[in-house]
Amino acid sequence: MKGNEAIAEAAIRCGADGYFGYPITPQSEVMEKLMELQPWNSTGMVVLQAESETASINMLYGGAGCGKRVMTSSSSPGISLMQEGLSYMAGAELPCLVVNVVRGGPGLGTIQPSQSDYFQSVKGGGHGDYKLIVLAPASVQEMADFVELGFDLAFKYRNPAMILSDGMIGQMMEKVELKPQQKRWTDEEVAQMHPWATTGKPESRDYNIITSVELDSEAHEKFNHRLQVKYRELEEKEVRFETTDVDDADYLIVAYGSSARISAAAIEILREKGIKVGLLRPITLYPFPTKEIQRLGAKMKGILSVEMSSGQMVEDVRLAVEGKVKVEHFGRYGGVVHSPDEVAEALEQKLIGG
Amino acid sequence: MKEEIIIAGFGGQGVLSMGKILAYSGVMQGQEVTWMPSYGPEMRGGTANVTVVLSDNRISSPILHAFDTAIILNQQSMDKFEPLVKPGGLLLYDPNGITRHPERDDINIYKIEAAEEAAQLKSAKTFNMIVLGAFLKVKPVVEMENVLKGLKKSLPERHHHLIPMNEKAIQRGGEIVKEVTLVKA
């Protein structure tokens, strides 16, 4: 099945309560598949085509405020429209899942795959000091698996989570194993697990208020401190990555999502030539595997950061190694996907010379 | 076993569905598969192509720069993909509408008169299955039993009555595919 379809299947099966979205290429299959599967008849999950992306994200605000597992999906221009809502949700500490099947920008750009929304996703695309939990799937299987993982992390940390995919992973078909159907949370379970949620006020507690406004600066600084504590905890506990062929490697490629798949093929080409290259694939882009890149990087003659952008993640790779190792960037962009031989050639030219 | 295939032609020729049936057949045979389409406005009347990889092992890149097999169904695709067949690889094409025939002498070239045959069978929609049959005759990367399972899996149930006709087309493709010997000038 397609990556986009895997998102839809996994959403129903993990017991999501609602999907609110607005169609845009290359991710329209998410809502199409949900509409086809009609989960409102089976699990009771709501699937709604909103009037805009702005409406979608604010529907998520409402659903999440009630402690429901709610999600949306879109592609780059649509995700830009959601930034205000995402900032508000981070500020109100609301969990939700947003899937971005990235296409080339800026502006309306192209409908072809890209990875140029890295900065927007990991540095906070809206205003204020906040972070999204960002997961980067590199296969259709991970598109399915990360839906549940995204919800779990979002609720554990009361923070919006994002699956940062791209048109390639969204449109391609691969084998995928889906998990069995899980039940949606009952109202009692929500009230018990998420005491912050607005589930109706019992006598036993005070009002729950979901808001991101605090006009007292001192109090707001305290609130921001609390957010920072949460982000430090995420950085401590939730970093996920995968390494391949790094033990004997002289050079390292750092790449996520579809670029990691393409780089793995490039590494096969390079190793046939006798050039020992390993791959570090960040699975969480925030929190970023800084420590592991620093540790592995120290043993390398050079690092190539590969992404379908003009060079965004490369900045975080450079920060990780603190100038101790040469770090170069390679990537085609604007909707062009680099091929394995282009990546292999770039590594030879930029890190080895000649 | 690893077979990297590009299928390229016009939108509407059944390029993507041929790839899908091939991919599902691989799944039925227990192989790892990827199916990566070109998508977007270029599909409407323009060129369409799909990359299918079948492998016994985990597949790294679904995007490739060289192919074991190119199945080519129009001139634009011939111009684009003939140079990308690996030396020793296979180029299979339907000469219908081709103005410049393949010229490489370091690859194996086969032709399949699928458009003509589909017209004779009075079923234009079996065109892509005739091509698939030709490919599987030259490179039997998936067993016929699994191809039929793949066909069943990728067709919605309301179209299952069409399976015998498609099966026949696959067989016919295998019968009429011809090796092309280049005559050196």
Side-chain angles (χ1 to χ4, degrees), chain B residues 3 12 20 33 40-41 43 49 64 78 83-84 91 97 103 110 112-115 141 152 158 163 169 172 176:
Chain B
E3 181 73 15
K20 194 168 159 185
V33 303
M43 283 167 72
N49 68 68
L64 301 160
M78 182 69 82
L84 301 183
L91 189 159
E103 288 159 355
Y110 283 77
I112 174 73
E113 301 270 6
V141 286
K152 210 169 168 179
R158 65 180 191 278
I163 288 175
R172 192 66 192 135
I176 61 171

Side-chain angles (χ1 to χ4, degrees), chain B residues 52-66:
Chain B
V52 176
V53 184
L54 306 171
S55 174
D56 293 332
N57 300 309
R58 183 173 166 180
I59 298 164
S60 50
S61 178
I63 293 269
L64 301 160
H65 59 286

Side-chain angles (χ1 to χ4, degrees), chain A residues 145-350:
Chain A
D145 295 344
F146 289 1
V147 172
E148 189 175 5
L149 177 63
F151 272 127
D152 287 350
L153 291 171
F155 273 86
K156 186 173 173 188
Y157 293 92
R158 284 186 61 189
N159 200 73
M162 176 176 276
I163 294 179
L164 187 66
S165 181
D166 63 63
M168 185 171 131
I169 304 285
Q171 290 295 327
M172 74 190 265
M173 284 204 281
E174 284 187 309
K175 282 204 273 192
V176 54
E177 271 182 45
L178 296 170
K179 289 190 172 170
Q181 180 66 50
Q182 294 171 47
K183 285 201 174 77
R184 287 171 51 232
W185 292 332
T186 62
D187 290 348
E188 293 73 30
E189 283 170 331
V190 171
Q192 197 197 354
M193 287 189 292
H194 312 301
W196 50 265
T198 48
T199 51
K201 184 192 166 306
E203 295 289 320
S204 52
R205 67 158 162 81
D206 211 346
Y207 292 106
N208 280 344
I209 298 168
I210 306 280
T211 181
S212 64
V213 68
E214 174 54 75
L215 295 177
D216 174 352
S217 303
E218 297 292 331
H220 197 52
E221 189 186 37
K222 268 190 193 137
F223 167 72
N224 265 280
H225 281 156
R226 196 151 61 76
L227 283 185
Q228 292 304 316
V229 168
K230 175 160 84 179
Y231 301 146
R232 294 300 89 73
E233 190 184 344
L234 271 163
E235 288 159 14
E236 196 58 45
K237 293 181 182 165
E238 304 296 349
V239 173
R240 286 168 171 78
F241 61 88
E242 183 185 68
T243 54
T244 332
D245 297 329
V246 291
D247 290 342
D248 66 341
D250 294 321
Y251 300 93
L252 185 68
I253 292 181
V254 180
Y256 70 93
S258 48
S259 276
R261 295 286 294 269
I262 294 160
S263 297
I267 288 172
E268 289 165 23
I269 297 170
L270 290 161
R271 284 200 169 247
E272 267 174 38
K273 286 184 169 180
I275 303 164
K276 290 177 184 165
V277 186
L279 177 68
L280 188 147
R281 175 172 79 90
I283 293 171
T284 50
L285 294 175
Y286 182 82
F288 194 67
T290 304
K291 284 180 192 161
E292 190 61 20
I293 291 173
Q294 188 174 45
R295 193 186 68 78
L296 266 178
K299 301 193 293 183
M300 301 292 165
K301 291 178 186 166
I303 300 177
L304 187 68
S305 175
V306 180
E307 49 180 329
M308 290 186 280
S309 78
S310 63
Q312 300 189 11
M313 182 182 69
V314 63
E315 293 190 3
D316 286 334
V317 179
R318 286 200 176 115
L319 282 170
V321 301
E322 295 174 330
K324 288 172 188 150
V325 191
K326 184 177 181 184
V327 178
E328 292 285 348
H329 159 77
F330 175 73
R332 302 287 300 271
Y333 45 97
V336 179
V337 180
H338 31 243
S339 69
D341 67 326
E342 286 176 319
V343 174
E345 197 184 310
L347 186 136
E348 283 192 86
Q349 277 183 0
K350 291 176 181 241

